[in-house]
């Protein structure tokens, strides 16, 4: 499979172009969502560079801390990256983790929001649907690179993985679950859900609720997808991505419930005086 094309001495990778397309689509959707909500859309454009930079750094750090099992078997561990700094920054060789990208981008915008004195939670809500859209598009970069595929299957929608990209223990299998496709479809649905959620409960939402909802829906989906993934990232014998997704989903759900506790658990007042029949 061709992974890119040459322009003079430069190699333009399709993976990078797809990621760029996802970023642009996310920014456009967030821009118009900000306008719809009566917010200044220039905040989107002004903060985008910092968010992308923070996301890339976070994604790389997460990969360095949690390299997949196949890389560990080749000796490419966290310690290897720490002792080979040039390889640690060589993102063009692959290795970006979505959990780190979300955390890095969120941290970058938090710092931006504090500096510019804009409410982080309310703006995180604006970004949430666009984030899901960006992921839906970006996942197709994994298709180009023949990565993020699941266990072997003969289902009609299975994808063929070339021998060069198969794990050694699965060389006898040709077709696999297209995890990238499952996640792409889910994120499109999640984008639609978040846009609907924002409009349906506009009078009940607090700043940050939509982003918290995203931090429940996506991690729950990702948690179950990890069962199909072959090349997991283990730290101390624990699936790092799956465990993190579970923690984030539970923590976000708990926080969302807590901040609406007065509404959810409000006791019914008993009628007294003239109200009693």
């Amino acid at each position: 499979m061709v992974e890119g094309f040459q322009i003079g001495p430069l190699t333009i990778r399709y993976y990078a172009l797809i990621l760029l397309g996802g970023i642009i689509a996310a920014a456009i959707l967030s821009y118009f969502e900000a306008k719809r909500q009566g917010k200044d859309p220039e905040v989107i454009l002004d903060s985008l560079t910092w968010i992308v930079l923070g996301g890339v750094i976070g994604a790389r750090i997460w990969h360095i801390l949690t390299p997949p099992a196949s890389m560990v078997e080749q000796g490419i561990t966290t310690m290897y990256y720490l002792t080979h700094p040039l390889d640690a920054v060589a993102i063009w060789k692959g290795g970006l983790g979505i959990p780190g990208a979300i955390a890095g981008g969120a941290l970058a915008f938090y710092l931006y929001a504090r500096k510019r004195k804009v409410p982080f939670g309310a703006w995180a809500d604006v970004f949430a649907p666009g984030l899901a859209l960006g992921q839906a598009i970006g996942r197709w970069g994994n298709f180009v690179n023949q990565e993020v595929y699941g266990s072997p299957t003969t289902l009609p929608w299975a994808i063929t993985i070339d021998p060069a990209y198969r794990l050694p223990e699965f060389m006898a299998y040709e077709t696999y679950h297209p995890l990238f496709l499952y996640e792409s479809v889910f994120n499109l649905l999640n984008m639609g859900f978040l846009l609907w959620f924002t409009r349906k409960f506009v009078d009940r939402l607090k700043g940050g609720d939509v982003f918290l909802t995203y931090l429940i829906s996506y991690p729950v989906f990702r948690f179950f997808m990890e069962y199909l993934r072959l090349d997991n990232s283990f730290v101390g014998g624990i699936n790092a991505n799956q465990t993190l997704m579970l923690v984030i989903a539970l923590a976000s759900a708990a926080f969302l419930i807590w901040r609406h506790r007065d509404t959810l658990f409000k006791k019914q007042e008993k009628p007294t005086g003239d109200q009693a029949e």
Side-chain angles (χ1 to χ4, degrees):
M1 180 178 288
V2 179
E3 297 182 358
F5 56 91
Q6 294 289 135
I7 297 181
L10 298 177
T11 299
I12 308 299
R13 298 187 180 276
Y14 295 130
Y15 180 81
L17 292 178
I18 292 171
L19 289 184
L20 180 60
I23 292 170
I24 293 173
I28 292 173
L29 178 57
S30 299
Y31 183 91
F32 284 105
E33 185 63 11
K35 289 186 68 174
R36 186 190 69 81
Q37 294 185 24
K39 294 180 171 64
D40 181 6
E42 290 301 316
V43 171
I44 304 293
L45 303 179
D46 192 35
S47 64
L48 185 61
T49 300
W50 299 107
I51 294 173
V52 172
L53 182 60
V56 171
I57 293 174
R60 188 59 177 176
I61 290 175
W62 181 252
H63 169 75
I64 290 171
L65 295 177
T66 62
S70 62
M71 297 185 71
V72 172
E73 292 176 0
Q74 299 173 40
I76 304 177
T77 62
T78 300
M79 186 55 66
Y80 171 85
Y81 280 122
L82 294 178
T83 54
H84 295 76
L86 292 181
D87 286 338
V89 299
I91 60 174
W92 54 89
K93 292 183 179 180
L96 296 173
I98 284 182
I102 296 171
L107 176 59
F109 184 72
Y110 174 76
L111 296 174
Y112 169 89
R114 289 198 61 178
K115 181 178 180 180
R116 298 297 298 271
K117 294 181 172 56
V118 296
F120 171 79
W123 277 99
D125 290 347
V126 172
F127 279 110
L131 174 58
L133 175 60
Q135 285 181 258
I137 296 172
R139 271 305 185 190
W140 283 89
N142 300 130
F143 171 71
V144 171
N145 285 356
Q146 295 198 52
E147 57 190 8
V148 190
Y149 55 87
S151 55
T153 183
T154 56
L155 289 170
W157 55 83
I159 57 171
T160 299
I161 299 298
D162 295 338
Y165 299 95
R166 298 176 198 166
L167 295 173
E169 60 269 35
F170 292 94
M171 280 296 178
Y173 301 92
E174 293 185 357
T175 56
Y176 300 80
H177 279 285
L179 292 192
F180 79 91
L181 177 61
Y182 297 163
E183 186 161 332
S184 181
V185 171
F186 171 80
N187 277 303
L188 280 177
L189 295 174
N190 199 25
M191 175 200 69
F193 167 72
L194 293 172
L195 290 172
W196 169 83
F197 185 76
T198 302
R199 291 157 174 77
K200 178 67 174 179
F201 301 103
V202 62
D203 296 329
R204 307 181 196 176
L205 295 175
K206 298 181 180 181
D209 281 355
V210 178
F211 186 58
L212 283 171
T213 302
Y214 166 85
L215 291 179
I216 298 170
S217 57
Y218 174 69
V220 167
F221 171 81
R222 179 68 182 269
F223 175 85
F224 288 105
M225 285 297 98
E226 286 293 314
Y227 284 113
L228 288 176
R229 194 164 183 168
L230 296 178
D231 200 12
N232 299 112
S233 300
F234 291 96
V235 176
I238 298 174
N239 186 323
N241 287 310
Q242 188 175 50
T243 302
L244 180 66
M245 291 298 105
L246 179 61
V247 170
I248 290 176
L250 291 176
S252 299
F255 185 44
L256 188 61
I257 291 171
W258 179 82
R259 71 199 315 237
H260 288 274
R261 64 193 181 282
D262 292 340
T263 301
L264 294 174
F265 306 112
K266 186 176 182 180
K267 293 182 179 179
Q268 294 292 329
E269 295 181 0
K270 293 181 179 180
T272 58
D274 294 339
Q275 294 177 333
E277 296 181 0

